[in-house]
Amino acid sequence: MSGPTPAGRLRTYKDVKQFILACIRTGKWPPHHRVPSENQLVVSYGVSKTTAERALYELASEGVLRRIPGIGSFVAKPKCFPAVFDMLDIAEDIRQRGKIHTANVITLSENPASFEIGNELGVEVGSTVFHSVILHHKDNVPVQLEDRFVLPSAVPAYLAQDFTERTPTSYLLEAARGARNEYSIRAVSPEGWEQTLLAILPTKPCLSIHLRLTSNRNVVSVARLVSPAGRYRLEAIRRHAARA
C-alpha cells in the first residue's frame, strides 16, 4: 500500500490516530476515502495489529471514521458549514451582539512540533512552531478556548502581537497574504485542562471547531476552538459578503 508518509515514526495507537486525523484534516483523505486496514497499517507503518485495531476502533467511536463490516473503514463526512460561509471573528461577533469581548493570553511561545502538529503544518517533528492558547470571554464569562499552532516562516511576527487587543484569527487573515479559513465542527468531551480554563464540569458537552488557515495552498496555522454548549452560538456569514 502506498500512502502519506508520517513526519515521525508511529509507535502508539495515539500516534496512529493523530496520523490518520492529520491526513483527514489536511485533505489528503477526503470524506468517503477508504483508510488503510489494520493489516495495511501493520505492513506499511510497522505498528502492531493491536495498536492499529485500537486506533481505528476509537476513531470510529468518535465519529471520525465509518466502519463497514467486511468492507473497510472510511472517512466520515464531518458536520460543517457549506463552503459559501465564513465564521465571524469571535471578538467582532460578541461586540455585534452588544456584549463585551475580553481575552486572556494563557500561552504565547515557541514549541517543538509534536507528531500531530508536524503532520498538519508539514514540518518535521521537533521543528520550532509558534503556540498560543487564548481564553475568550463574553461579559467576563469564558466562552471559547483557542489552542493554536502557527508556522513561523509564514508569520514570523506572530509572537510579538498583543492578543488581548485583537484575535489571532484577525491578525493572521491580515498578515498571511490571500489567507482563508477552512473548518469542521464536532461535538466533543473537553480535556481536563480545557475544563479547568473554561470552568465547566467534565460532563459539560462542547463544540470543537478544527480551524485550518491556508495561504497559497500552504497551511499557515491550525487551531482547536472549544466552546461549552449554551455559552456561545456560532455565527456564519456568506463569503461574498465578507469580501465586500
Side-chain angles (χ1 to χ4, degrees):
M1 179 199 70
S2 61
T5 302
R9 183 180 175 185
L10 303 180
R11 298 178 184 275
T12 69
Y13 80 92
K14 290 184 178 180
D15 290 341
V16 178
K17 283 182 66 176
Q18 297 304 336
F19 172 60
I20 293 173
L21 285 170
C23 289
I24 294 171
R25 289 168 178 167
T26 57
K28 293 177 181 177
W29 293 349
H32 312 301
H33 176 85
R34 184 173 182 172
V35 305
S37 66
E38 290 94 337
N39 289 335
Q40 288 172 325
L41 288 169
V42 169
V43 172
S44 297
Y45 301 113
V47 299
S48 70
K49 189 169 184 179
T50 300
T51 295
E53 287 176 344
R54 181 170 179 181
L56 294 178
Y57 173 80
E58 290 199 2
L59 288 171
S61 298
E62 294 165 5
V64 177
L65 300 180
R66 180 171 59 92
R67 305 192 78 178
I68 302 177
I71 298 179
S73 298
F74 299 83
V75 177
K77 186 176 180 180
K79 296 179 180 178
C80 59
F81 282 98
V84 295
F85 286 91
D86 280 326
M87 286 193 307
L88 281 173
D89 177 72
I90 187 170
E92 178 185 356
D93 186 19
I94 289 174
R95 290 172 188 139
Q96 285 186 6
R97 300 184 197 195
K99 306 296 183 179
I100 298 174
H101 170 267
T102 54
N104 292 345
V105 178
I106 309 300
T107 298
L108 187 60
S109 63
E110 293 184 353
N111 283 76
S114 66
F115 181 89
E116 176 187 8
I117 299 305
N119 272 291
E120 291 215 61
L121 291 178
V123 298
E124 293 292 329
V125 173
S127 299
T128 297
V129 295
F130 295 153
H131 181 211
S132 62
V133 177
I134 313 294
L135 185 61
H136 298 279
H137 297 77
K138 179 180 70 176
D139 288 349
N140 295 320
V141 176
V143 294
Q144 188 178 89
L145 184 61
E146 174 183 341
D147 187 12
R148 183 182 294 272
F149 292 88
V150 177
L151 191 65
S153 60
V155 195
Y158 185 78
L159 296 184
Q161 306 309 306
D162 182 358
F163 292 124
T164 64
E165 294 296 325
R166 68 185 306 187
T167 65
T169 295
S170 172
Y171 170 71
L172 289 169
L173 288 173
E174 179 182 297
R177 183 173 299 178
R180 60 178 293 174
N181 276 319
E182 302 170 0
Y183 60 98
S184 60
I185 304 170
R186 297 185 186 278
V188 298
S189 297
E191 298 179 12
W193 69 278
E194 294 170 332
Q195 297 165 18
T196 299
L197 288 173
L198 289 167
I200 57 175
L201 296 173
T203 54
K204 181 72 172 180
C206 291
L207 281 181
S208 174
I209 302 170
H210 181 266
L211 196 64
R212 187 173 71 146
L213 188 141
T214 61
S215 175
N216 298 321
R217 298 184 179 180
N218 296 315
V219 180
V220 172
S221 170
V222 292
R224 170 180 162 97
L225 314 179
V226 178
S227 296
R231 288 194 189 173
Y232 178 64
R233 185 178 73 251
L234 178 67
E235 292 289 345
I237 54 176
R238 289 190 180 277
R239 185 161 285 165
H240 66 76
R243 292 174 178 169

